[in-house]
Amino acid sequence: MPAAIKTYVVGGAVRDALLGLPVKDRDHVVVGATPEQMLAQGFVPVGKDFPVFLHPKSREEYALARTERKTAPGYKGFVVHASPDVTLEEDLARRDLTINAMALPEAYSGLLDPASTAHTAPTLEEVFSAHGIDPYHGWQDLKNKTLRHVTTAFREDPVRILRLARFAARFPDFSIAPETLQLMQDMVQAGEVEHLVPERVWQELAKGLMTQKPSRMFEVLKACGALQVLLPEVNALWGVPQRAEHHPEIDTGVHLMMVLDMSAQLNASLPVRVACLMHDLGKGTTPPSEWPRHIAHEQRSAKLLKQVCERLRVPVACKELADVVAREHGNIHRSNDLNAAALMRLLERCDAIRKPERWPEILLACECDARGRLGFEDAVYAPKERLLKVLQAALSVTTAGIAAEAQKQGLMGPAVGEKIHEARVMAIDRLKV
């Protein structure tokens, strides 16, 4: 780079390195450069709304320093200004949280790998103290474990509410500054959240679900009022009583948060975590008098989750798994009382014969539901091992031979399928589990 141009590593890379966490992606801000100068250095342009380039060798992102001006509601209503006269401090001012508004000159970027520099001198902390750029006191907030907005420009982008909730789930021991929570509440009341597009909402929710404590994301969204706007079906679960004999925590919303955190504890995939999130939606609309009607409640949950998935454009894999779990988790919990024929019907309703690879994930979501209760966190989920063996037994049936024998007897179509079904029931019955 020409001498007048300065390059800095910014945002998450600096934050995570100071926390002693692995740095996955490095974002850079270039001050004093024009797009033409970047191209002359071999950088490859990739930005649509503002100048962003890929380094010709490392392929890391380099963005020209820029400012933003709000022109319309929502997160797309911005005019971006990028030019050589924009300072680093002005660029950092448009960021969401103080802990994401720190920068380090690129010359010191080698210190951002905690594993290789843990015992070097000077340390990253010493270098950052001497050379880091931290106009909004992000490092102090990092030390104090505080999530705080940089400036009131935070309110101009409603995606930042979702991002902050996601950071709260990723760093569950961090607190939210009271003034930041108030700002989020003001944004919700002003209707900003209503302008978010489904794809962006889903993107942030999916990231938050995959954190170490996903419940925190939903608790933050609920606290600022955004959950009622984005996921009213989930928001409605708080205050709905559970059956005391099965749920010591009583409240359905509290139970849901415990289920989500159990899914993280068990390292569940995203489809499983989505299934956990949506397995009990029907309870938010089911009056207490209908609790014994398990089928009614589960059908309502399946109907509501279909509406949510369509609204947020949830991927098919997540939607399908969630649908099965919403409809069948009660039957799976009670499966120890089912005979071989009923177990086979359960497998068929879950499409486990055709998609056996999905069966363990269905059972894992049910395990999260069972263990997401006070006093049951370390319990063994008895149905899981039994139902895995049940599927293995059903799949062990050699269908080709049965079909050939049935055809010799003049049986065709559904009659052949019935013979295969009967053979699978017999195989399950022989398990005696």
Side-chain angles (χ1 to χ4, degrees):
M1 292 286 185
I5 299 176
K6 296 182 179 180
T7 305
Y8 303 86
V9 183
V10 298
V14 178
R15 176 200 67 226
D16 289 349
L18 287 171
L19 286 172
L21 300 174
V23 174
K24 297 180 180 179
D25 300 305
R26 301 189 190 201
D27 293 324
H28 303 76
V29 165
V30 183
V31 178
T34 65
E36 293 74 19
Q37 289 173 311
M38 298 295 288
L39 293 173
Q41 295 292 319
F43 284 81
V44 180
V46 293
K48 294 181 179 179
D49 300 322
F50 47 83
V52 179
F53 303 83
L54 295 182
H55 191 280
K57 293 183 179 179
S58 71
R59 312 306 288 178
E60 292 178 342
E61 286 193 357
Y62 285 70
L64 297 188
R66 62 190 187 272
T67 59
E68 296 173 345
R69 180 169 55 88
K70 184 78 166 177
T71 58
Y75 80 100
K76 287 189 174 181
F78 292 92
V79 170
V80 175
H81 171 68
S83 74
D85 60 352
V86 176
T87 67
L88 177 63
E89 288 73 14
E90 288 173 328
D91 181 275
L92 295 175
R94 66 176 180 77
R95 297 176 183 269
D96 50 5
L97 303 175
T98 59
I99 63 171
N100 297 331
M102 299 180 286
L104 190 67
E106 189 176 36
Y108 301 103
S109 62
L111 292 172
L112 296 181
D113 182 0
S116 63
T117 60
H119 305 292
T120 62
T123 64
L124 173 62
E125 292 80 1
E126 291 169 338
V127 169
F128 189 81
S129 295
H131 304 285
I133 295 86
D134 184 19
Y136 304 102
H137 312 295
W139 194 14
Q140 189 60 49
D141 280 339
L142 206 61
K143 294 176 181 177
N144 294 337
K145 298 186 176 182
T146 301
L147 300 175
R148 189 190 314 275
H149 64 283
V150 176
T151 71
T152 54
F154 180 99
R155 70 182 306 143
E156 296 176 351
D157 184 357
V159 171
R160 290 174 173 176
I161 292 177
L162 285 163
R163 279 176 52 81
L164 188 147
R166 173 162 62 84
F167 275 112
R170 183 184 176 192
F171 303 118
D173 55 343
F174 280 49
S175 62
I176 301 174
E179 63 271 24
T180 300
L181 182 59
Q182 182 62 59
L183 186 59
M184 294 163 66
Q185 293 170 341
D186 293 344
M187 292 168 67
V188 174
Q189 292 171 8
E192 279 286 336
V193 175
E194 297 168 12
H195 295 284
L196 288 169
V197 299
E199 293 86 353
R200 194 61 194 271
V201 174
W202 164 250
Q203 182 184 52
E204 294 297 329
L205 288 176
K207 291 179 180 178
L209 282 171
M210 293 306 295
T211 59
Q212 63 172 304
K213 194 172 180 63
S215 65
R216 185 89 190 286
M217 174 175 64
F218 293 94
E219 290 166 353
V220 170
L221 292 175
K222 188 176 189 301
C224 71
L227 190 62
Q228 174 59 37
V229 179
L230 300 173
L231 282 172
E233 301 87 352
V234 173
N235 191 73
L237 296 177
W238 272 270
V240 175
Q242 295 267 39
R243 295 188 188 190
E245 68 271 24
H246 294 153
H247 292 272
E249 68 281 351
I250 304 300
D251 188 280
T252 303
V254 174
H255 164 61
L256 175 59
M257 296 300 98
M258 296 182 69
V259 174
L260 286 178
D261 288 344
M262 181 57 64
S263 73
Q265 181 179 325
L266 298 179
N267 296 313
S269 66
L270 178 60
V272 170
R273 299 190 193 203
V274 172
C276 290
L277 173 65
M278 299 190 187
H279 79 285
D280 262 352
L281 294 183
K283 290 183 178 178
T285 59
T286 304
S289 61
E290 296 188 17
W291 283 347
R293 296 169 56 191
H294 296 292
I295 294 178
H297 149 57
E298 288 160 0
Q299 286 178 340
R300 291 186 189 207
S301 292
K303 181 179 179 180
L304 285 173
L305 84 83
K306 181 179 179 181
Q307 295 173 0
V308 173
C309 289
E310 289 178 352
R311 186 173 74 239
L312 296 182
R313 301 174 189 175
V314 174
V316 173
C318 294
K319 177 182 176 181
E320 290 183 347
L321 186 72
D323 175 68
V324 172
V325 173
R327 286 187 288 105
E328 300 294 343
H329 68 276
N331 292 322
I332 289 173
H333 291 333
R334 297 184 292 274
S335 62
N336 286 342
D337 299 327
L338 302 180
N339 61 25
L343 287 170
M344 185 60 210
R345 290 195 296 272
L346 175 64
L347 292 178
E348 291 172 337
R349 290 197 305 272
C350 295
D351 204 12
I353 301 297
R354 195 168 66 92
K355 298 180 179 180
E357 72 284 351
R358 199 175 64 178
W359 189 233
E361 295 217 310
I362 293 171
L363 298 180
L364 180 57
C366 293
E367 180 180 2
C368 293
D369 179 36
R371 293 174 59 183
R373 298 178 292 160
L374 290 174
F376 291 84
E377 296 89 345
D378 298 319
V380 174
Y381 185 55
K384 183 169 69 172
E385 290 304 318
R386 178 176 186 247
L387 290 178
L388 287 172
K389 293 178 181 178
V390 165
L391 178 59
Q392 290 175 355
L395 292 176
S396 69
V397 173
T398 306
T399 59
I402 296 174
E405 184 62 30
Q407 289 171 0
K408 288 180 182 179
Q409 299 173 14
L411 301 176
M412 302 293 289
V416 176
E418 183 59 32
K419 287 289 185 181
I420 294 173
H421 174 89
E422 291 173 0
R424 286 170 172 162
V425 171
M426 292 177 62
I428 293 172
D429 190 52
R430 286 195 294 269
L431 278 178
K432 302 300 181 183
V433 293

